[in-house]
Amino acid sequence: MVGSLYKTGQLNSIFIFFVVFLVGIYWIYSSELQRENEQYLLLGQVVNSQASTIERRLSHSLSTTYILAQELRRANGEFVDFDKYAREVIRTISGVSNLQLAPKGIIAQIYPLKGNEKAIGHNLLVDDSRKKEAHMAIAKRKLTLAGPFDLIQGGVAVIGRNPVFIEGQDGEYFWGFTSALIFLNDLISITDLRQLESAGYSFEISRLHPDSGKEEVFARSISGLSFATYSTGVSVPNGTWKLTMSRVSSGVKIFLISGTIGSFFTALIISMLSLRIFREPHRLKSVVEEKTKELEYFAFHDPLTGLANRQRLRESLERQIQEMKAKDKYLTVMYVDLDDFKRVNDTMGHEAGDRLLQIVAKRIKGSVRNNDMVARLGGDEFAILLADLDGRDDAVTIASNVIQSIVLPVHLGPREAIVSATCGITVFPEDSENADELLRYADLALYASKRSGKNRYGFFEQDMQKEAHRWLYLEDELLNAIRNNELILVYQPVYSLGSGEVARLEALIRWNHPQRGLLLPESFIDIAEQTGLIIPLGQWILKEVCEFIREGSEYVQDVPVISVNISARQVSEPNFAEYVIGVLDKFKVTPAGMELEITETMVMEDVEFSLKVLNRLRNAGLRLAMDDFGTGHSSLSQLKRLPIDTLKIDRSFIIDIETDSQDYQIIEVIVAMARKLGVAVVAEGIESKTQLELLKQAGCDMGQGIYFGEPEGRDNLKI
């Protein structure tokens, strides 16, 4: 009897053990299956989102071939000034490496040509290994996409070839191809694939090879795909790519093993088994919810700032357009770009730059309303979406608040940075009712505002496209002026007010324009500053002055010190000081024979950075002068730190010195301060003998101006 009960107890214990163990296994694996299904659905959303981004960007970039084709049809096959037109197209529609024209299938023109010279004369219909796509484009009269393929110059790219048919006397005939080459890395960079990779995602992009018919993977993440993947098609011209993604679920395998072992042991203890069974589903549910939120966040947000990303912005913009149509309200898109952000990265490091971007993001969020959207588009560019506006005045108020909040000092560790911002604004429905056009117009307005002086806002205007072309024309003219030796230097003597002798010469640039005559710097220096041409322009001036000093030293025993103006853009260039020293060494010019003039405003914008560059120049033996002194906000304590030899009093204090006693008193203060610093004082813009006598009386050491005569070319100087 006892033995029977024992056996029955054993059987019951075994039965209970297996029942409880199997129930535990069921809960664990069913919960994990549910979690995997939900993660799989969310993974699908991420994959579809990235595939859609690739499709849109590829279509956007390939639209350049249609623009070129339209211009060819308009001009009946004759393309005037292809390089200039292609450069503007690439600037307007980013993401394209180069544009090509291939009349009759033979590549005749490429922009940019540098690095692509070997492709000229290449017959796409005969010589090209991808001629199959070219013939297909002609047969179907549609754009075809060749690649991806490895480039000779390095990298992987795709190329779109658009067949152009032009109406002739005997009907339409095949003119040739317009082509656009797109680097695969540039195409992938506009997606979130690299950011998602850092969050544990893996990806592969593949296609069926047109010749072998086998699947070919041409882009992938560093880590390989896991067993759970999701794939979707990416529609491209004459084919389909496949985007496949997966994500390693950290801790899943460990959880399954430990859960099974735990269920085994808890089956022996009924009380622990019950607790385990009821608690485990709740824990798994929390894990699923947490991972779901994480996936949604990375799909629609910028990882650095936490702001919405470009995809989220565009989706919200399209939705808001429909809502504002129904409400008969205004909607505004603003593009905000930080001024001179590159200098922060160069001088303080990328970590400081990232920290600055995070602080700016918070300031922008704090300057708009709670229901407004702020997005980061990439780099130092942000966007703001404002809905439910009554008019432009509302947008002006918010734009002003944003700009004022950004310009406040930012503490980055032991240093302080000050950056400004420029804003471009476009308004729905006045400017457009199309989301893509509104985004493009905001970008144009931003570009125009930056050209107008930065640290400001501006609205989109319909003639901005024409203005962009005009600015491009002026830029080309100045670039040609540098190449064609249309620039000349004149020299204005600086006299010692004590001895009346020439103490030094200031080099001044002029443009001998072939149509407009001799132009002063005021008509072209701003263009050079805005476009970056001030760098080659400044290099040309430096070399010309060095040559003048070297040649003069062969005939004159004591060549006067030559002063050269330098811009903030030049100083911010990496290794500027080393470049100047290298040029002096090349021309065998003694550094003490040249004086570099910097403006007070330039120095005060970033004293620490300026001090670093100026000390390097001063230690090399160059003389330094502060130009336009009195117009900035420098203090004696700041000036004491700068290794300058000369202060040049701005002409605005000289012009009224005969009638304005306050100007005279200011000059006396400047002279006294200069004496304390041990530097010389030069008065600029002297126009009369009375001014000269007053400046002598105030204690100025040197002076220059039209009273002494106009600036002259090197051959007419009397020194």
Side-chain angles (χ1 to χ4, degrees):
M1 184 68 152
V2 174
S4 176
L5 290 174
Y6 180 78
K7 289 182 179 180
T8 301
Q10 282 186 322
L11 291 174
N12 289 336
S13 297
I14 293 172
F15 175 78
I16 292 172
F17 171 80
F18 279 103
V19 168
V20 173
F21 180 70
L22 290 175
V23 167
I25 294 297
Y26 170 78
W27 273 103
I28 291 170
Y29 281 86
S30 63
S31 299
E32 177 57 23
L33 181 61
Q34 177 186 356
R35 190 193 70 85
E36 288 182 355
N37 287 338
E38 293 185 10
Q39 292 250 32
Y40 187 73
L41 291 175
L42 289 171
L43 179 62
Q45 294 179 13
V46 174
V47 174
N48 289 330
S49 169
Q50 300 308 306
S52 175
T53 300
I54 294 173
E55 287 180 0
R56 288 197 303 270
R57 183 50 177 262
L58 188 59
S59 174
H60 184 65
S61 299
L62 291 177
S63 67
T64 56
T65 65
Y66 291 100
I67 295 173
L68 295 179
Q70 182 64 28
E71 182 64 16
L72 280 168
R73 294 190 190 97
R74 184 189 66 77
N76 200 26
E78 295 294 330
F79 209 119
V80 179
D81 201 353
F82 168 73
D83 285 355
K84 180 177 179 181
Y85 192 90
R87 178 168 59 250
E88 180 61 23
V89 170
I90 290 176
R91 284 189 177 186
T92 304
I93 303 175
S94 58
V96 179
S97 175
N98 68 58
L99 295 174
Q100 306 173 8
L101 294 182
K104 297 182 180 180
I106 301 173
I107 299 175
Q109 290 180 279
I110 301 177
Y111 179 84
L113 180 60
K114 186 176 180 180
N116 301 298
E117 294 88 352
K118 292 183 179 180
I120 298 296
H122 192 68
N123 193 325
L124 304 177
L125 301 174
V126 177
D127 304 330
D128 202 308
S129 61
R130 295 168 293 280
K131 61 186 177 182
K132 177 181 177 181
E133 287 85 352
H135 284 283
M136 182 190 302
I138 298 173
K140 294 186 176 182
R141 293 196 171 201
K142 290 183 178 180
L143 180 145
T144 60
L145 187 70
F149 51 84
D150 294 328
L151 298 174
I152 297 175
Q153 62 269 38
V156 181
V158 296
I159 185 166
R161 298 196 181 99
N162 196 355
V164 181
F165 291 87
I166 296 178
E167 190 70 35
Q169 293 180 352
D170 300 325
E172 277 193 342
Y173 68 94
F174 170 66
W175 178 88
F177 295 100
T178 59
S179 304
L181 186 139
I182 304 161
F183 276 106
L184 186 62
N185 281 340
D186 291 342
L187 184 61
I188 292 177
S189 67
I190 56 91
T191 68
D192 296 323
L193 290 174
R194 296 303 182 193
Q195 292 92 327
L196 291 169
E197 185 177 356
S198 64
Y201 291 87
S202 303
F203 72 89
E204 285 186 353
I205 306 177
S206 61
R207 64 163 183 168
L208 291 180
H209 195 280
D211 297 326
S212 65
K214 296 181 179 180
E215 185 173 17
E216 172 192 40
V217 177
F218 55 83
R220 63 180 54 179
S221 56
I222 297 175
S223 58
L225 298 174
S226 63
F227 67 91
T229 63
Y230 188 98
S231 300
T232 189
V234 180
S235 297
V236 300
N238 61 283
T240 302
W241 295 350
K242 184 171 73 171
L243 173 61
T244 303
M245 294 186 68
S246 67
R247 186 184 184 198
V248 177
S249 299
S250 58
V252 172
K253 298 300 182 184
I254 297 175
F255 163 71
L256 292 176
I257 295 172
S258 63
T260 302
I261 295 174
S263 296
F264 177 84
F265 284 106
T266 54
L268 301 175
I269 307 172
I270 301 301
S271 60
M272 293 181 64
L273 175 64
S274 301
L275 182 62
R276 178 85 177 184
I277 290 174
F278 285 110
R279 283 187 175 179
E280 195 63 20
H282 293 292
R283 192 189 71 82
L284 291 174
K285 184 178 179 181
S286 299
V287 172
V288 170
E289 291 176 351
E290 181 181 345
K291 297 300 180 183
T292 300
K293 292 179 181 178
E294 184 180 338
L295 282 170
E296 290 176 346
Y297 179 85
F298 280 109
F300 298 107
H301 291 81
D302 170 49
L304 177 65
T305 62
L307 299 176
N309 58 17
R310 187 183 296 271
Q311 179 184 348
R312 180 73 176 273
L313 171 70
R314 194 182 184 285
E315 291 178 359
S316 298
L317 176 57
E318 290 180 336
R319 184 179 66 256
Q320 292 281 13
I321 286 174
Q322 300 306 317
E323 292 181 5
M324 294 306 103
K325 284 181 180 178
K327 293 181 178 180
D328 195 24
K329 286 275 192 176
Y330 287 89
L331 179 148
T332 290
V333 179
M334 295 183 183
Y335 271 21
V336 180
D337 186 79
L338 301 185
D339 302 327
D340 301 321
F341 174 72
K342 179 178 179 294
R343 189 172 65 180
V344 176
N345 271 341
D346 291 342
T347 59
M348 303 178 69
H350 288 279
E351 289 187 6
D354 288 346
R355 177 61 182 151
L356 176 62
L357 291 174
Q358 292 171 336
I359 294 172
V360 168
K362 290 181 180 179
R363 291 184 177 181
I364 296 176
K365 285 286 290 183
S367 302
V368 301
R369 303 167 303 177
N370 292 333
N371 60 330
D372 295 329
M373 171 176 283
V374 179
R376 182 185 175 214
L377 304 179
D380 61 341
E381 192 171 57
F382 298 85
I384 306 172
L385 179 59
L386 307 172
D388 285 316
L389 299 182
D390 294 324
R392 290 192 171 209
D393 290 344
D394 292 344
V396 167
T397 300
I398 295 176
S400 299
N401 291 340
V402 169
I403 292 173
Q404 291 171 10
S405 71
I406 292 175
V407 80
L408 296 174
V410 179
H411 295 282
L412 300 173
R415 298 185 60 181
E416 182 180 87
I418 298 178
V419 294
S420 58
T422 305
C423 180
I425 310 171
T426 186
V427 179
F428 163 91
E430 291 181 359
D431 298 332
S432 175
E433 296 186 3
N434 178 272
D436 290 328
E437 288 184 350
L438 288 171
L439 294 173
R440 187 166 68 253
Y441 291 166
D443 199 22
L444 279 174
L446 172 65
Y447 178 70
S449 296
K450 275 191 172 291
R451 286 210 321 260
S452 300
K454 302 181 181 179
N455 193 29
R456 56 187 298 158
Y457 62 83
F459 284 89
F460 170 77
E461 297 176 3
Q462 292 298 329
D463 61 352
M464 280 184 177
Q465 191 69 31
K466 294 181 180 179
E467 178 64 15
H469 284 288
R470 189 188 73 82
W471 193 268
L472 182 64
Y473 176 74
L474 292 174
E475 180 184 350
D476 287 342
E477 270 201 316
L478 184 54
L479 184 59
N480 288 330
I482 298 174
R483 294 171 177 169
N484 299 333
N485 297 319
E486 296 173 8
L487 301 171
I488 60 174
L489 288 182
V490 295
Y491 296 87
Q492 184 176 47
V494 179
Y495 290 88
S496 168
L497 300 188
S499 66
E501 297 178 350
V502 174
R504 64 195 62 181
L505 299 172
E506 181 177 0
L508 303 170
I509 192 168
R510 301 290 186 265
W511 181 358
N512 191 13
H513 195 283
Q515 284 81 40
R516 292 186 282 164
L518 197 65
L519 301 180
L520 296 176
E522 290 79 5
S523 62
F524 59 89
I525 286 296
D526 282 346
I527 300 172
E529 286 278 6
Q530 294 285 346
T531 60
L533 288 177
I534 195 67
I535 303 303
L537 189 62
Q539 293 172 352
W540 177 84
I541 294 173
L542 187 64
K543 292 175 182 176
E544 285 289 308
V545 170
C546 284
E547 184 177 353
F548 175 48
I549 296 174
R550 183 179 64 181
E551 292 181 358
S553 63
E554 296 176 0
Y555 304 102
V556 181
Q557 185 175 3
D558 295 318
V559 178
V561 174
I562 309 295
S563 297
V564 178
N565 292 282
I566 58 175
S567 73
R569 187 74 175 268
Q570 290 175 268
V571 175
S572 66
E573 282 293 296
N575 302 319
F576 169 72
E578 283 66 27
Y579 175 80
V580 174
I581 296 167
V583 172
L584 293 172
D585 184 63
K586 179 181 178 181
F587 284 87
K588 301 187 184 310
V589 171
T590 303
M594 181 180 292
E595 183 175 69
L596 299 182
E597 293 190 10
I598 57 176
T599 64
E600 181 184 9
T601 304
M602 178 205 310
V603 174
M604 292 308 115
E605 283 181 355
D606 193 336
V607 176
E608 296 299 330
F609 177 76
S610 300
L611 187 62
K612 180 180 178 182
V613 177
L614 297 181
N615 276 327
R616 179 71 182 94
L617 293 168
R618 192 69 182 84
N619 292 337
L622 280 94
R623 301 177 63 85
L624 300 172
M626 179 176 285
D627 197 7
D628 300 335
F629 185 76
T631 60
H633 305 284
S634 55
S635 64
L636 179 60
S637 61
Q638 289 171 324
L639 288 174
K640 287 171 64 177
R641 301 176 61 198
L642 298 173
I644 58 175
D645 302 282
T646 309
L647 284 180
K648 301 190 75 174
I649 302 176
D650 187 69
R651 66 183 67 244
S652 62
F653 295 101
I654 311 299
I655 191 170
D656 294 325
I657 192 174
E658 300 171 65
T659 57
D660 191 336
S661 60
Q662 187 175 11
D663 280 348
Y664 181 80
Q665 292 171 357
I666 291 174
I667 292 173
E668 284 188 314
V669 171
I670 293 175
V671 171
M673 182 172 62
R675 292 285 181 270
K676 188 170 185 178
L677 294 174
V679 300
V681 178
V682 177
E684 297 183 295
I686 301 176
E687 299 180 358
S688 68
K689 183 172 180 59
T690 304
Q691 290 177 349
L692 175 62
E693 294 302 324
L694 287 171
L695 291 168
K696 285 182 179 180
Q697 180 179 322
C700 290
D701 301 293
M702 291 171 279
Q704 64 184 115
I706 60 173
Y707 172 74
F708 301 106
E710 297 289 342
E712 297 285 355
R714 55 189 290 182
D715 296 332
N716 298 323
L717 284 172
K718 297 178 182 179
I719 56 174

